[in-house]
Amino acid sequence: MRKKRRSSVDKGEGAATTTTTKAKKSRSAGRQQKEAVSEETNESVFSVFLRGAGVTLRQDGTSNEIAVDQVVFQKRIQKQLQKSPRYPGIVQEFLTGLESHIEDPESFRNCLLPCVPLLPNGDLSCVSSFQESLLRMLLGIEMLQTLIINTLLEKLPEFMFDGTGDGGLSVPRIIINQLKWLDRVVDSKELAAKLMELVSVAPVEVQRDIITSLPEILEDSQHNDIARQLNSLLQENTQLTVPILDALSSLNLSSSLLTEVREAVMATLAAVQLEDLPVVVKFILHSVSASDAYEVVCNLRKKLELEQCVLPPVLQASQRCLKNKGAAVSASTPAAASSQDSVTLILDGIKSAVRFQKTISEAWLKAIESVDEVEDHKVIDLLVLFILHSTNANQSRRGAERVLKVKVRTGQIQEALLQKTFRDYIQVMRGYFTSILALAQSLLRAPDPCVVPFGGHMYRHSFTVFDSYCQQEVVGSLVTHVCSGVGGEVDMALELLCGLVTEKPAEMALYAVFVKGILDYMDNLTPQQIRRLFHVLSRLAFGQQQQGSHIQDDMHIVIRKQLSSTVPKYKRIGIIGAIMIVGSMGALRPKVKESQNGSLPQETLRQVTALLELVQSSSESSPEAAALYYDELANLILSSTLDPQVQEMIGKSVLDDFQEDFVVDLGPDITGSFPFPVREMYNLDEEESQGGIAINLMPLLAIDLQNKGEQQSQTKKAHKRVSPLCLSPFFRLLRLCEEKQHHGDLEEIDALLGCPLILTDMDIVDKMESLSKAEREFLCTLLFHTINWFREVINAFCRQKETEMKVKVMTRLQNITYLQSLLEKALAGSPGYVPPVANFDGESTDGIIHSSTAPVNKTKKDGSGRKRKAPGKNSSGSSSQLEEGTEAEETQQEQPEMEKEKEVRQGVSLVSYRLFFRELDMEVLSVLQCGLLSRSLLDSELNTKVQEEVLLGPAELVFLLEDMLRKLEFCLTAAPAKRAPFLKVRADKSVGFSHLQQKSSKDIASWCIQLLPALCSHLENCHNHFQTLLSENNGVVDGPATDIQEHQLMSSCYHLLLQVLNTTFSWSGFSQPGQWSLLKKALGVLAGRLKEGVAELNLEQLVKHSFEYLLNFNSTMPSLSTALCLSQLLCTVSERGGKPAAYREQTASLARRFLSQEWLTASGEKERGNKFNEALHTLLHTYLEHVDDILKAVEEIAGEGISELLNASKDESSASWPTLNRQTFLVFYKVLMAELEKAVRKIPGGKISDNMEIQSEKLLTWNLAVRDFHILVNLVKVFDSRLVLNVCLKYGRLFLESFLKLGMPLLDYSFKRHKEDVQSLLKTFQLSTRQLHHMCGHSKIRQDTSLTNHVPALKKSLELFIYRVKAMLTLNNCQEAFWMGNLKNRNLKGEEILSQRSQESEEEEDEERSLLPQEQAEEETLDSDSEGSKKVNRTDDGDQDITDDSD
């Protein structure tokens, strides 16, 4: 047997055969043969050599001993072998002895384990404390290494299936360990082949040991070969995925092979076991290079299906239930935990990759950004964004925040994905809570309203699924948002707190003290926000379960303290808070088995009653406080469901008190001393004369004013003070109580719709001049109260279906418009008058008094300037709106003496008095669904038709549309803008919209879309009206048959309708995917007016038909401002289809048509004034933004239109542009300069790589731009006003800077190939810059700061241009073609400024340059050009001709 083994050693190649033979041979047989055949020579060679080298072999189970250092041992063995006379045969004998020795398993084990140092006489100096195993030391001898490796690998199969032996030692693993980290491997290739051969037959455990050890065994030269084999093995056996990837990640591979391996690994990703997935992901990410990072990450993102790594939510929920009950956890729970652990490990792998490799983080961001569809986004996207945000790199954090905001804004990452992530990956998400909280804070603070709700969802889900620590952090963060005082942030945070209190009252109760802390920061909150805050606190403290009852006492203390305050602001907070507490305490309880008729405990009912009495008693002394109490109670009844006992108690007392305070019986004359004669007015129920009632308004007002003059002590009588201020709020409360109790039926109080008011004869308004100041103010107050009463009456009865009620509502609308016309006249005669407050939840009249007490003309100007609305904002039958808008300006300029008298006759605009009118409910707008009353119907059938159909008059339509527009501007367009201004301004804007604020913008938009058919009908009626007017007057709008008043009203209707439509379609919510169905519905209404069967059309087709429908109205525009509204509406609608470019030509054509049209008022005069100029400015911008070739359009207007104007007489306009005259020149000039400057900024910069064709094209564009600029600067010669100069200086500098930045690089590269073109361009530009220089001189002489402010920056750019041209010539080896001279200071007329003649005019140097190759020819050219100096500059207005440069 030994001979056989020796021959195999001699061959050195029979390792496999020997392995097989030894595998067949049992160890017991080997031991018997060793005992039977004992050849002393062999044994002695092995033993003697070892003993001579310092190693003693032990047979008794103890470790082999070594007396020398292992290096010494190795040298001695090698020396003995080499010096032996039998060398090299002695090597084989030595090996045979070794094989014989290790036949015994115990001896073999000893040889594999470390040797024990032999310490003679306790001397430690000669031997180190640790020694390698005997076999390991022998492997270090090169002449023996290959033979011993073969022997070990032959022995290894004997122990493959033995498992772990005594002491936990695995023999195969120890054998493999002997081969690691050898100083040198003699035959690495052969070793690799043998190891891979072993892998093919070994069991899995041994395979793993061998594979993971490969990088530590083989030399680098074998890494690529072994990697290919491992890659093949990976495809065949997924069980070995982890060890193979571990090995591969430690191998030194070529980039191409690494890519190949990575692609193979990626291909098997779907088949990998979940527990192996983290290793796979880590390998993939750590094996990428910067060039292929994006591609790899994209593939990984697509194939990594985390959704399949977790249990279904149902199973998770059932397991959570078991855990909560303390029951034994089911067998599947470990699987759920391990799946979460695996996902955590995967994310940890990604986290380590993005943290240490910048390219990986950028690739992830880019991969997530590149996803375009909502359904393509996965949980991994959100998780990776949280990971990127959690890393310390600022760039990564900002990138994650930016991408998340963009994705949320475009609707690609939606709340459903967030909910799924929180639901299925609680454990994983918990680890990134800090990032989630930071992102939620950022989103909530974002100025874009589209992303704010997503931040709210992040907060809500965090509170719902995480532990108490996270809940505390969420509540703390939300409280911080509320205390920030920033409008949108506060609103969303309070909304979230409300939602959490409703969904999780028990959990929120733990943090009630946090929320209570907001009470210290209420100064910055609006009334609506205070309502929400007290809603949260009262639900916590006084809700049905009363989990937060520990703050009840604090709440009572705060409310009582504020109610007793004499400061109106704090009393208001007290009233609002008390009513919210009543709402929580008196809420309808869910029925339980023992409750029958009422579930509210008597003690609670007593507390509710006491609190209401407290509020009432504390507000009796102040009519404003009492009115707020009624309004708040009305809001509570409208928005909450109170217990029937509470509802009944409130309703009964309200009805009784209202009748007692404000209603009197008709019949007996009213006695008393009043400023004016008493008369019953506006009675709609005259036929029911018996038993009639009336509203006792004027007597109450007189008594109230009288009481105000008395001492305070006299007002505190037992009889409470009744103020007419409370009339409208009290009626609103009464109406809502009746609606609630009778399910919308108002039969009990319908007499109040038609009953008269005790007023006086309104003819007295025409005699204002003869009244005293007190009488005038009394009359104004009476009118305000009457109008507000009618507004509340309309609020109450607008939803009634009976025709009789509808007619009465329409009549009340007519009463309002008529009374408003009287009020305008009365206010014009009462300068300094402060109206009674109508909205009681805001700051009283701070900031309002100033505008309303200003002189009449200032009030009017404020009203028209602050709101962009049609002339005649609050129009009525007798007000002249267009005259107000157009003639007022002329009057102020030309007839100052007539100003006051004219305005007294006209009346004051009620725009600035809007806050003193009661708010109309959204439901009132349903009246718009009635038809429009036309003149023909009245003429032919008088009132019969009105009785049958209930038609709206033009004045009433204007009234309703104005109110609708204000509401839409506040809700749909003001939402993002509300975040920007200071708090005071924002708070003021919300006054008068209390009811509206309780509705969401989506509700408002939905309501508008319901009204769209009616609005379209009114729009068509207006169109038909003006079309008829044009046909009757042969196309002349101001024909003899034109009724000026009706024309103004219909113009206002037309204008307002277009504004309402534009505001509706401009709503930012339409861009959110969730509202697309609403947008399609809205567009479907417009498209349906033109085409049947719009239900099947897609969004783009709907936009197309809607655009066509609206375009049809362009022929009947009554004014330029209305035409502008139509243009803006068309732009808005075209943008909704996603392809606005398709409508650019039509939009530009329409704007051109409007600009080329002469606009006349109803009286036949040309339109003029500030409003006309503003509309013209915007319309001209619209035209130039949408026209195909802006440079050509600018040249057309500047070259042709203004030339025609110069040749026309003083008051005439340009023939081709009738809107261009001397009054509107500044508007045209400013827009042309601004758009020209904007256009040149969009010209692509010159690149050295551009071919000749592209260079020619860019040069041509710049030539056109410079020519346009030359024409515009040259116009300053004729139009030399300081405003024109200012525009020219400002935009001249900007144009010059753009030329330096974008134009000069083009000239650098184009000079040699297009010398003539470049020379021509610069010479044209030189004329403009010289003119700009003269304007600088003119500005200095005039010492006009508005002009001189532009001079330093302009001169700097002029100098830069000179040297930039020199640099360009130097670059092209033509520096000799450049010379510089001194440019004299001149004024606009070209005259030299003598005071500066002696100064060095360095900053005014002009350079002149010839582009001809001959220097002499160039100088001649320059000399003939003028001054020999060239200057490029940019200016706003230039009055001097550019070609006139004689000096």
Side-chain angles (χ1 to χ4, degrees), residues 95 329 732 816 889 911 1056 1083 1290 1296:
L95 195 67
V329 179
R732 178 176 173 79
I816 289 176
E889 181 182 5
V911 174
L1056 287 165
L1083 291 168
K1290 175 184 174 183
L1296 178 54

Side-chain angles (χ1 to χ4, degrees), residues 240 297 360 535-536 1233 1258 1299 1354 1356 1371:
L240 299 175
V297 166
I360 300 284
H535 170 74
V536 172
M1233 286 294 268
K1258 289 179 181 176
F1299 185 80
L1354 180 54
K1356 178 184 176 183
L1371 181 69

